[in-house]
Amino acid sequence: MSCRFNFSAGPAMLPEPVLKRIQEELTDWRQTGMSVMELPHRGEHFKFIAMDAELRLRRLLKIPDSFSVLFLQGGASMQFSMVPMNLMRHGTADYVDTGIWSQKAIAEANRFGRVAIAASTKENGYDRVPRQQDFLLNPDVDFVHYTPNETIQGVEFASIPDVGHVPLVADMSSTILSQPLDVSRFGLIYAGAQKNIGPAGLTLVILAPQTLEQSREDLSPMLSYRIQAKQESMYNTPPTFAWYVAGLVFEWLEESGGLSGMAEKNLRKSEALYQVIDQSSLYMNPVQMDSRSKMNVVFTLSEPRLEGAFLEAAEREGLCNLKGHRSVGGFRASLYNAMPEKGVDALCSFMREFERTA
Ligand SMILES: *Cc1c(COP(=O)(O)O)cnc(C)c1O
């Protein structure tokens, strides 16, 4: 059955106009006689593509000029290592534990220094984010790390936590570009591309100038923020094609109302789906109201025996990749920027109809 709307958590769907544009330009990028994939990364053509993408991203997120933007590889998972490697100068950090991705980041940071858990919702089964007053922050740590949107548990922070003067580091893999963001509040932001940015293989890192100044100087070049920044993410061959596609996605975002337009649309999408869940006796969302994710809506069925039939019927409707993460089960609908409202409408109608006839 062909997939009409792809609810995958990542790699996730890309905007249709971006895919069309890639197709048009694939074998000959702007009369160069070369595919983007064939352009030398230090040549003028790719330099233009790279700079244009960075500029658009800076405009979209209103990134302060003094901040650095890096286009790296290795995924968000490599940032789990690079962050402590580069930033744990005194060997300590506070981590907020809100689910599987923060746990992975914590496990990695433990290799490089002493990690204190500033707040955890583990005892609540990760059904919420911690409240500001529950944070236990150490004033002398090198940074505080948190995960604004837990892709697997479907919990999201409604606002940026206040961590005083300590640099705040955020894994924004599944929420970046979904709404306007005050980048100046952060010491470092990172995100794997395959959710809301572009194809897998590209990882975005945004660094405050103080973060860069305080990062270590004695690291292997590929793992060093300083060297990657100095070399403008071209210490070696960058993932050129993924960088180009990210640029097209940024262009699409600019033409589709920017991040405030996206935020409105994303809110409407998630509210529509949560409404179906809340009004039903078959579907259940385990997350507390104020912590519900706008990007990853998780749900289970009150009658587990219907799970197989639900998935099959959804796929017959062209609604694909709704299976929840293997570690938590159930279902998950990822509603990133590229998911059109009519995709969510189709899912909502399907779910109502399935419940009615089940
Ligand atoms: C997907 C995801 C990751 C892992 O990303 P990779 O690029 O596969 O390493 C890490 N953190 C969050 C929040 C994610 O959603």
Side-chain angles (χ1 to χ4, degrees):
M1 196 67 212
S2 163
C3 186
R4 238 178 355 126
F5 296 109
N6 179 3
F7 293 93
S8 166
M13 69 181 292
L14 286 164
E16 185 85 25
V18 167
L19 292 173
K20 291 258 158 67
R21 176 89 176 270
I22 296 168
Q23 188 178 39
E24 281 162 24
E25 297 181 336
L26 191 67
T27 55
D28 183 6
W29 185 77
R30 299 199 185 175
Q31 276 108 52
T32 56
M34 288 176 279
S35 168
V36 172
M37 288 181 275
E38 302 168 317
L39 296 173
H41 62 292
R42 297 187 202 281
E44 52 166 337
H45 299 309
F46 188 73
K47 277 236 169 86
F48 170 80
I49 291 171
M51 275 180 45
D52 186 63
E54 180 175 332
L55 225 93
R56 290 180 189 281
L57 179 71
R58 283 182 178 275
R59 272 204 300 264
L60 280 165
L61 280 171
K62 300 192 169 65
I63 300 173
D65 289 343
S66 58
F67 279 50
S68 308
V69 176
L70 307 180
F71 292 81
L72 304 181
Q73 303 188 51
S77 300
M78 200 163 87
Q79 294 310 307
F80 293 166
S81 314
M82 273 180 82
V83 164
M85 232 184 236
N86 281 267
L87 307 185
M88 264 187 171
R89 290 208 74 120
H90 307 94
T92 56
D94 280 347
Y95 273 68
V96 181
D97 171 23
T98 47
I100 286 180
W101 290 117
S102 19
Q103 280 187 334
K104 288 208 166 181
I106 290 164
E108 209 47 44
N110 267 313
R111 294 175 193 272
F112 298 97
R114 278 198 318 282
V115 174
I117 303 301
S120 173
T121 50
K122 192 173 181 177
E123 286 189 3
N124 308 102
Y126 296 126
D127 69 345
R128 68 194 71 180
V129 299
R131 295 169 305 177
Q132 180 74 46
Q133 62 261 41
D134 297 332
F135 277 58
L136 256 171
L137 296 165
N138 297 300
D140 307 319
V141 291
D142 290 315
F143 60 88
V144 181
H145 178 284
Y146 85 118
T147 312
N149 184 69
E150 283 280 359
T151 323
I152 294 171
Q153 271 79 16
V155 301
E156 181 174 1
F157 282 80
S159 58
I160 304 168
D162 182 4
V163 297
H165 69 279
V166 178
L168 181 59
V169 175
D171 172 3
M172 295 217 175
S173 297
S174 52
T175 179
I176 194 161
L177 298 169
S178 67
Q179 58 190 12
L181 182 71
D182 183 358
V183 173
S184 70
R185 298 271 309 269
F186 296 88
L188 188 150
I189 291 167
Y190 63 91
Q194 67 274 20
K195 277 95 187 216
N196 233 354
I197 297 172
L202 177 74
T203 312
L204 211 66
V205 181
I206 302 169
L207 292 121
Q210 314 84 280
T211 309
L212 197 57
E213 274 155 33
Q214 284 160 21
S215 68
R216 279 177 60 155
E217 293 175 38
D218 55 349
L219 297 173
S220 309
M222 285 299 287
L223 300 171
S224 160
Y225 289 135
R226 278 173 184 272
I227 293 174
Q228 292 287 8
K230 202 161 152 222
Q231 303 280 334
E232 297 176 332
S233 312
M234 295 211 194
Y235 177 79
N236 75 330
T237 317
T240 53
F241 189 73
W243 195 331
Y244 151 77
V245 178
L248 296 183
V249 172
F250 301 154
E251 194 175 337
W252 172 79
L253 283 170
E254 287 190 304
E255 286 164 4
S256 321
L259 298 192
S260 47
M262 274 302 135
E264 285 170 25
K265 189 179 107 176
N266 288 331
L267 189 64
R268 281 198 301 271
K269 283 165 12 187
S270 58
E271 279 183 344
L273 185 49
Y274 282 122
Q275 194 177 39
V276 169
I277 293 169
D278 291 342
Q279 288 173 350
S280 120
S281 51
L282 178 62
Y283 309 109
M284 295 178 304
N285 170 272
V287 180
Q288 300 232 324
M289 290 284 181
D290 60 359
S291 303
R292 284 175 158 183
S293 170
K294 295 185 285 299
M295 293 285 101
N296 310 98
V297 178
V298 298
F299 57 95
T300 53
L301 302 189
S302 59
E303 292 181 65
R305 65 180 175 87
L306 292 175
E307 283 190 4
F310 178 84
L311 213 56
E312 247 173 56
E315 281 181 8
R316 271 200 304 276
E317 293 292 319
L319 308 170
C320 56
N321 296 320
L322 284 164
K323 212 173 157 74
H325 191 266
R326 59 189 186 282
S327 60
V328 293
F331 301 95
R332 171 173 53 175
S334 295
L335 313 179
Y336 302 123
N337 289 339
M339 173 60 65
E341 287 185 79
K342 63 182 196 300
V344 179
D345 293 345
L347 177 61
C348 290
S349 317
F350 163 75
M351 285 172 67
R352 283 204 192 92
E353 185 61 15
F354 182 84
E355 180 171 14
R356 199 180 61 78
T357 54

